[in-house]
C-alpha cells in the first residue's frame, strides 16, 4: 500500500511540474508575440504622453497665439504627402484608404514633386510654409506616399492622449547614415527625415530649437512587421501603431492590403 501511495504521489508531482512548465513556456511565448510586444510598448508610450497632456491643464487648449487663431472648422490632423508626379495610382489608392473622407478630422494634401532635390528639402520647405500661414489643425504630419498612415489611430490619440503643445513624434535617425547632413530645423536634428514626422501646430508656428522629439519606436513598424501584416502572420486588426515601413515595391497594393488588414477587412467605397 505504501509503495502504491509513493508512486501515486510521485506521479502527481511530475504531473504538476509538467503542467507548470507548460504554463511558463506558453506565457513566455505569448509575452514575446509581435502583436503583444508592439501593443505593450506603444501603449506605454502613449500613456506617458497622456500624462504630459493631463499636466498641461486647460491652459494648453486656450494658449494658441494671436498670430495663429484657432479656426472653428479646424481638423485634428493635416497630412502633407510628398508624392512624385508619376505616382498617380498610389495617390488614388491613398484617397480610397487612409485618406478617405470617412476618416473624420483628417485633411490630406498631396504635394507633387519632380526631382530628388525637391524631395530632400520637402520637410524643411513645408515647415517654413506653415510657419508663415499657420497650421489649420491640431497636428501636422509630413510624410511620403510610400508609407501607410493609420489615420484612425492617430486621430484617436490626438483626441485623447497626445499633448496639445510642444510635441514632436518621429523615428530616430541612423546616426551613421545621417552624419554630415544639414540639420534644419534644429528640433528635427535627431529625426529620420525619410519617415513620417508628426508635429503639434505650435511647434511649427513658434519653433523651439531646444525641444526634444519623442521617438516613436514601435509606432513605426519595421519592414518585417509590415510584411507580416500583409501576409497574415500578424493580425493587424487590433494592432496599435501609427506608420508602416516604406512599401516601395507595389506601393498601391501594399497600402490597400494594410488598410484592409487593419480595418478588419472593411471595404470603403470611394
Amino acid at each position: 500500500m505504501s509503495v502504491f501511495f509513493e508512486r501515486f504521489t510521485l506521479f502527481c508531482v511530475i504531473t504538476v511540474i509538467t503542467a507548470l512548465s507548460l504554463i511558463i513556456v506558453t506565457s513566455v511565448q505569448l509575452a514575446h508575440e509581435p502583436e503583444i510586444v508592439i501593443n505593450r510598448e506603444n501603449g506605454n508610450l502613449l500613456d506617458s504622453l497622456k500624462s504630459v497632456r493631463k499636466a498641461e491643464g486647460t491652459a494648453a487648449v486656450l494658449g494658441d497665439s494671436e498670430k495663429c487663431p484657432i479656426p472653428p472648422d479646424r481638423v485634428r490632423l493635416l497630412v502633407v504627402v510628398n508624392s512624385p508626379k508619376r505616382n498617380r495610382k498610389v495617390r488614388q489608392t491613398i484617397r480610397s484608404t487612409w485618406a478617405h473622407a470617412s476618416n473624420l478630422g483628417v485633411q490630406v494634401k498631396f504635394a507633387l514633386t519632380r526631382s530628388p532635390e525637391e524631395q530632400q528639402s520637402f520637410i524643411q520647405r513645408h515647415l517654413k510654409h506653415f510657419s508663415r500661414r499657420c497650421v489649420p489643425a491640431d497636428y501636422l504630419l509630413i510624410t511620403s506616399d510610400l508609407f501607410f498612415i493609420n489615420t484612425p489611430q492617430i486621430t484617436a490619440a490626438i483626441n485623447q492622449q497626445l499633448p496639445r503643445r510642444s510635441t514632436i513624434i518621429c523615428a530616430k535617425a541612423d546616426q551613421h547614415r545621417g552624419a554630415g547632413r544639414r540639420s534644419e530645423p534644429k528640433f528635427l536634428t535627431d529625426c529620420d527625415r525619410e519617415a513620417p514626422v508628426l508635429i503639434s501646430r505650435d511647434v511649427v508656428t513658434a519653433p523651439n530649437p531646444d525641444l526634444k522629439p519623442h521617438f516613436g519606436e514601435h509606432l513605426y513598424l519595421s519592414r518585417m512587421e509590415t510584411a507580416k501584416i500583409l501576409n497574415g502572420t500578424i493580425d493587424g486588426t487590433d494592432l496599435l501603431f501609427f506608420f508602416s515601413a516604406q512599401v516601395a515595391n507595389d506601393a498601391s497594393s501594399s497600402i490597400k492590403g494594410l488598410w484592409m488588414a487593419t480595418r478588419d477587412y472593411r471595404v470603403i467605397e470611394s
Side-chain angles (χ1 to χ4, degrees), residues 33-35 227-236:
E33 285 290 324
E35 298 95 325
K228 286 185 175 181
I229 293 176
L230 287 169
N231 65 29
T233 307
I234 291 180
D235 181 5

Side-chain angles (χ1 to χ4, degrees), residues 187-198:
F187 59 78
L188 294 181
T189 298
D190 297 324
C191 294
D192 183 351
R193 307 298 184 87
E194 296 180 4
V197 178
L198 184 63

Side-chain angles (χ1 to χ4, degrees), residues 3-270:
V3 174
F4 171 79
F5 181 76
E6 289 175 359
R7 290 179 177 177
F8 178 74
T9 302
L10 179 61
F11 171 77
C12 291
V13 170
I14 293 173
T15 302
V16 170
I17 292 174
T18 302
L20 288 174
S21 299
L22 288 173
I23 291 172
I24 292 171
V25 170
T26 303
S27 299
V28 171
Q29 289 176 337
L30 286 174
H32 290 84
E33 285 290 324
E35 298 95 325
I36 294 175
V37 173
I38 292 170
N39 285 346
R40 181 178 65 239
E41 292 187 3
N42 288 339
N44 290 340
L45 174 59
L46 292 177
D47 283 344
S48 68
L49 290 171
K50 187 175 182 179
S51 298
V52 176
R53 179 188 178 108
K54 288 182 178 179
E56 290 175 334
T58 56
V61 182
L62 304 174
D64 285 75
S65 66
E66 294 181 1
K67 175 187 173 184
C68 293
I70 302 175
D73 58 346
R74 180 183 62 185
V75 296
R76 294 300 184 191
L77 178 66
L78 172 63
V79 188
V80 179
V81 184
N82 172 8
S83 182
K85 191 175 181 180
R86 64 182 180 276
N87 288 4
R88 182 179 179 182
K89 183 179 179 182
V90 178
R91 290 191 293 276
Q92 290 175 336
T93 299
I94 289 174
R95 290 188 182 101
S96 66
T97 55
W98 62 260
H100 193 271
S102 63
N103 297 318
L104 300 179
V106 179
Q107 183 178 357
V108 179
K109 295 182 179 294
F110 291 95
L112 305 189
T113 53
R114 294 175 174 81
S115 67
E117 290 75 19
E118 282 186 282
Q119 295 173 26
Q120 289 173 3
S121 62
F122 189 81
I123 291 180
Q124 185 177 349
R125 287 189 293 109
H126 281 82
L127 286 177
K128 187 175 182 179
H129 169 83
F130 284 110
S131 69
R132 295 172 177 172
R133 302 193 180 190
C134 301
V135 179
D138 291 330
Y139 272 79
L140 171 67
L141 173 62
I142 301 179
T143 184
S144 83
D145 60 6
L146 296 181
F147 290 89
F148 171 76
I149 310 299
N150 199 339
T151 44
Q153 289 195 8
I154 296 175
T155 52
I158 291 172
N159 286 331
Q160 302 171 15
Q161 295 163 306
L162 298 188
R164 298 178 179 90
R165 301 181 62 84
S166 305
T167 302
I168 305 165
I169 295 177
C170 67
K172 191 170 185 177
D174 184 324
Q175 297 302 318
H176 298 290
R177 189 179 65 180
R181 290 186 177 181
R182 293 181 63 186
S183 57
E184 294 294 336
K186 188 176 179 181
F187 59 78
L188 294 181
T189 298
D190 297 324
C191 294
D192 183 351
R193 307 298 184 87
E194 296 180 4
V197 178
L198 184 63
I199 310 173
S200 60
R201 72 192 301 262
D202 65 293
V203 175
V204 180
T205 55
N208 177 0
D210 298 321
L211 185 63
K212 300 298 182 183
H214 298 277
F215 297 119
E217 299 180 359
H218 256 127
L219 290 176
Y220 295 77
L221 296 182
S222 68
R223 291 183 184 276
M224 182 177 295
E225 290 161 348
T226 300
K228 286 185 175 181
I229 293 176
L230 287 169
N231 65 29
T233 307
I234 291 180
D235 181 5
T237 306
D238 297 315
L239 197 65
L240 175 57
F241 74 98
F242 283 2
F243 314 107
S244 73
Q246 278 194 0
V247 288
N249 296 327
D250 197 3
S252 181
S253 176
S254 295
I255 289 171
K256 186 178 295 184
L258 288 165
W259 175 252
M260 294 179 68
T262 55
R263 300 277 71 75
D264 196 19
Y265 301 100
R266 175 171 61 90
V267 178
I268 292 181
E269 299 294 336
S270 57

